Amino acid sequence: MMNLEIISRSNLESVAVAIEEAKRRGIVFKQSLVSAEYSDWRTFLTKTFPFLVLKSFVAHQIEFWDWVWAIRPSERPKPFVALWSRGAAKSTSAELAAVLVGITKRRPYIVYVSGTQDLADRHVQSVGSLLEHAGIARALNKYGASRGWRRDRLRTDAFTIDSLGLDTAARGIRVDDDRPGLIVLDDVDSLHDTAEATR
């Protein structure tokens, strides 16, 4: 099992707790990792997020990360469906995967989809905390103002991550000329969903 020290709390709160613990331990965050080279996904995770305690991975997590690492800018991979048990770091892995795909410039536009807009926004805020502590700068316009760093959008010079709730209408979404290159579906179900809602 991947031990991230952040599974039991909500993602946004738990990432903040992990970051504060890292600061307490004296771990220094790099200023910018956008141009860094990584040999594999393990190197990316440990170098980019030293505050995460990555001990070991089980087979289905390795399969997921191998799939994420194999994404290439001009190729369309087969979809990956991860149906993992509670506490298996599903959301944390999905958030980190969105970060990896953006930082390593595999996709310029990523959409993070959840059952509600509020939940999708919370996931994107958690991703924003990860990006900030990895030293990824916000995109600025020619006047020095942020081009989009809010609860539902994270925009850098290299990539953009938007949140989208299934309870929100969206047609033809894009950023400049980019359509979504990666769509992450996370927390799209609800405890009391009917069989019809699940279908």
Side-chain angles (χ1 to χ4, degrees), residues 79-90:
F80 188 94
V81 178
L83 303 173
W84 299 348
S85 63
R86 187 158 189 77
K90 292 180 297 294

Side-chain angles (χ1 to χ4, degrees), residues 1-9 11 56-58 60-61 83-93 186-187:
M1 183 85 41
M2 182 167 71
N3 180 355
L4 297 173
E5 284 190 353
I6 60 175
I7 294 171
S8 63
R9 298 179 177 90
N11 284 357
S56 61
F57 295 82
V58 294
H60 60 272
Q61 292 168 330
L83 303 173
W84 299 348
S85 63
R86 187 158 189 77
K90 292 180 297 294
S91 291
T92 301
S93 296
D186 184 20
D187 289 332

Side-chain angles (χ1 to χ4, degrees), residues 18-165:
I19 290 167
E20 288 308 311
E21 176 64 17
K23 288 178 181 175
R24 189 183 65 71
R25 292 182 194 167
I27 295 173
V28 177
F29 296 98
K30 297 184 172 148
Q31 289 301 308
S32 179
L33 297 166
V34 172
S35 61
E37 293 295 325
Y38 307 98
S39 58
D40 57 32
W41 55 265
R42 289 177 195 265
T43 305
F44 173 87
L45 292 174
T46 56
K47 286 191 174 184
T48 310
F49 304 107
F51 56 89
L52 297 177
V53 179
L54 304 173
K55 292 186 177 176
S56 61
F57 295 82
V58 294
H60 60 272
Q61 292 168 330
I62 292 170
E63 180 185 10
F64 169 73
W65 283 107
D66 285 346
W67 177 85
V68 172
W69 190 253
I71 293 173
R72 295 290 174 260
S74 60
E75 297 174 9
R76 184 176 183 173
K78 290 182 180 180
F80 188 94
V81 178
L83 303 173
W84 299 348
S85 63
R86 187 158 189 77
K90 292 180 297 294
S91 291
T92 301
S93 296
E95 291 166 0
L96 287 167
V99 170
L100 183 151
V101 167
I103 288 177
T104 60
K105 300 180 180 178
R106 292 160 197 253
R107 293 291 189 268
Y109 184 35
I110 300 157
V111 177
Y112 204 105
V113 180
S114 294
T116 66
Q117 186 64 48
D118 182 60
L119 186 54
D121 289 349
R122 283 187 278 158
H123 283 297
V124 166
Q125 289 171 31
S126 183
V127 169
S129 293
L130 292 168
L131 292 175
E132 287 174 353
H133 291 286
I136 305 302
R138 302 170 184 206
L140 303 176
N141 65 21
K142 66 181 182 177
Y143 305 108
S146 174
R147 294 181 66 203
W149 197 275
R150 50 188 196 261
R151 64 180 285 128
D152 62 344
R153 170 170 281 183
L154 305 171
R155 191 160 187 184
T156 74
D157 287 334
F159 62 94
T160 300
I161 299 177
D162 276 344
S163 66
L164 180 63

